[in-house]
Amino acid sequence: MERCTLTTIAQAARVSVSTVSYALRNHPKIPPETALRIQQLAAELGYKAHPSVAALMAHIRSARQPSSAEKIAFVWIEVAPTEANIPFNQQIIAGARARAVQLGYEMEEFWLAEPGMTSRRLGEILRTRGITGIVFSACDRKTGVQLEMDWPAHAMAIIGNARWNPELHRAGHYHYMGMQRVLHELELRGYRRPAVLLERVVNERAHRAWEAAFLVHHPLRSQAKTLLKPFSILDPKEVKPWCERVRPDAIIVTKPLFVEPLRAAIGAASSEIGYAVLDLLGGHGHLSGIDPVHSMVAANAVDLVVSQLFHNERGVPSEPKKLLFEGRWIEGRTLRQAPAQARA
């Protein structure tokens, strides 16, 4: 039996081959009713995409010039355009945009925090512009997100670990493994009594993964709870009496900006304490800790969207994928050097 091709379908449907190609990919250039008619006809004719041809088309699409590329929307959930210069925001949009261009797409930014913008209004804009792929930004203040979108019309992925309703594919930092890596590096350097100061909102957004790893992998597991101090707003003056009580030999913090205020508040005793940071945002020179490589996380969210576009997948997935990345260790000067044999 002769194999059914795009040409076969085009002749039967009395449309062009390009129209068939677009229809099989649910491209917004084709009216939904036309796409459905062609897809049903393709199924009746026994059409199956050839794996080698599909791979070739993926290669061709990745080589396209951005000027003629389809667009993927990058939707900022809570960030205003005026906050675009914040390092975290710069990293994720740079990583997402670079991967989109690499795969033959353009990326256009949208801000839900703009005056008059709602998720419903955003959906109307995307539909008018024929944009079906969406990458949703990470959240820095919220622990959960619920939007009103035309979910079946889009291929989507989330950056970060905030709770979403409905749940979508996502790429995020593996907070549990990040904390485990920090504790391992501290142990290599001879620290036996590390403490941690955890921002409540970040810990909750990460499903308490940092907290769980600290309690499970602490070298003094029976004392780990007393060495964990959650906070909403860090007051360094409250940390000094806590340190005098729990006597840590190292302090783990979530952000670089906490290190110097803590050193100043603790005073002379701080010179004997090591410091490690859980989110170094690309490295901060002298600080030791984890760089989550947010740009790579964002790039992989784009990969999730492009994969759905390529496979004609739209809407809320029945089994959402989660791509989690441990990040990389940054060797700074706020901890003792690990012995040479431990680094080998």
Side-chain angles (χ1 to χ4, degrees):
M1 182 177 178
E2 187 175 337
R3 184 172 177 271
C4 178
T5 65
L6 296 184
T7 301
T8 308
I9 301 169
Q11 291 173 346
R14 296 184 179 180
V15 296
S16 68
V17 173
S18 61
T19 297
V20 173
S21 177
Y22 280 128
L24 294 179
R25 291 189 285 126
N26 288 314
H27 195 281
K29 288 183 177 180
I30 306 300
E33 59 274 13
T34 302
L36 179 60
R37 179 175 68 86
I38 293 174
Q39 290 168 9
Q40 290 175 339
L41 180 59
E44 292 171 5
L45 294 172
Y47 173 75
K48 292 182 180 180
H50 194 287
S52 298
V53 174
L56 175 60
M57 292 307 297
H59 174 75
I60 291 171
R61 292 182 72 184
S62 69
R64 290 183 307 178
Q65 293 299 314
S67 59
S68 62
E70 298 172 29
K71 288 185 177 180
I72 293 175
F74 190 97
V75 177
W76 294 98
I77 299 298
E78 57 188 11
V79 171
T82 54
E83 300 174 283
N85 61 343
I86 295 175
F88 173 74
N89 297 335
Q90 289 179 327
Q91 282 193 25
I92 63 173
I93 188 60
R97 192 183 301 281
R99 183 58 60 88
V101 171
Q102 181 184 12
L103 296 176
Y105 291 82
E106 289 181 352
M107 180 156 280
E108 184 172 353
E109 295 175 74
F110 299 87
W111 291 267
L112 284 176
E114 280 190 312
M117 180 63 77
T118 64
S119 56
R120 187 182 296 274
R121 171 63 179 152
L122 173 64
E124 294 172 355
I125 293 172
L126 297 180
R127 182 169 58 254
T128 299
R129 299 190 185 181
I131 300 175
T132 56
I134 306 175
V135 174
F136 291 103
S137 76
C139 295
D140 192 41
R141 296 181 281 271
K142 297 180 179 180
T143 59
V145 178
Q146 185 167 359
L147 304 179
E148 292 184 20
M149 299 283 295
D150 182 11
W151 302 112
H154 299 290
M156 302 158 289
I158 306 162
I159 297 172
N161 294 285
R163 294 175 177 85
W164 272 68
N165 184 15
E167 184 62 59
L168 305 174
H169 299 309
R170 68 171 69 229
H173 175 51
Y174 201 165
H175 292 78
Y176 188 97
M177 293 301 295
M179 175 66 83
Q180 185 178 2
R181 175 66 185 275
V182 168
L183 290 172
H184 173 70
E185 293 292 341
L186 290 173
E187 187 175 3
L188 288 180
R189 291 157 176 76
Y191 295 99
R192 293 293 177 266
R193 197 175 175 80
V196 64
L197 294 163
L198 282 183
E199 291 173 274
R200 284 192 175 91
V201 66
V202 181
N203 191 41
E204 288 297 326
R205 190 167 57 240
H207 313 291
R208 299 191 179 185
W210 274 338
E211 178 181 352
F214 183 81
L215 296 176
V216 170
H217 298 285
H218 196 281
L220 302 173
R221 189 180 301 183
S222 63
Q223 301 178 42
K225 284 187 178 180
T226 64
L227 290 159
L228 186 153
K229 183 177 177 61
F231 67 91
S232 297
I233 299 176
L234 182 65
D235 184 351
K237 294 179 182 178
E238 294 181 358
V239 175
K240 184 176 182 179
W242 175 72
C243 282
E244 291 173 347
R245 186 174 70 255
V246 301
R247 296 175 290 106
D249 56 5
I251 296 178
I252 305 168
V253 295
T254 54
K255 295 177 181 176
L257 59 87
F258 296 139
V259 174
E260 292 308 320
L262 287 174
R263 278 178 159 170
I266 295 171
S270 185
S271 62
E272 303 298 321
I273 296 176
Y275 290 85
V277 183
L278 290 166
D279 189 347
L280 277 175
L281 284 171
H284 279 256
H286 67 292
L287 298 178
S288 306
I290 295 291
D291 175 8
V293 198
H294 295 297
S295 58
M296 182 183 71
V297 172
N300 280 275
V302 174
D303 286 344
L304 287 169
V305 170
V306 172
S307 175
Q308 293 170 76
L309 292 172
F310 183 75
H311 292 98
N312 301 320
E313 297 172 355
R314 303 290 188 278
V316 177
S318 58
E319 296 182 1
K321 299 175 184 176
K322 295 182 180 180
L323 302 180
L324 300 179
F325 301 90
E326 178 181 337
R328 58 189 177 96
W329 175 257
I330 300 295
E331 190 67 44
R333 300 189 299 277
T334 51
L335 295 174
R336 296 191 288 261
Q337 286 282 313
Q341 63 270 25
R343 295 196 302 268

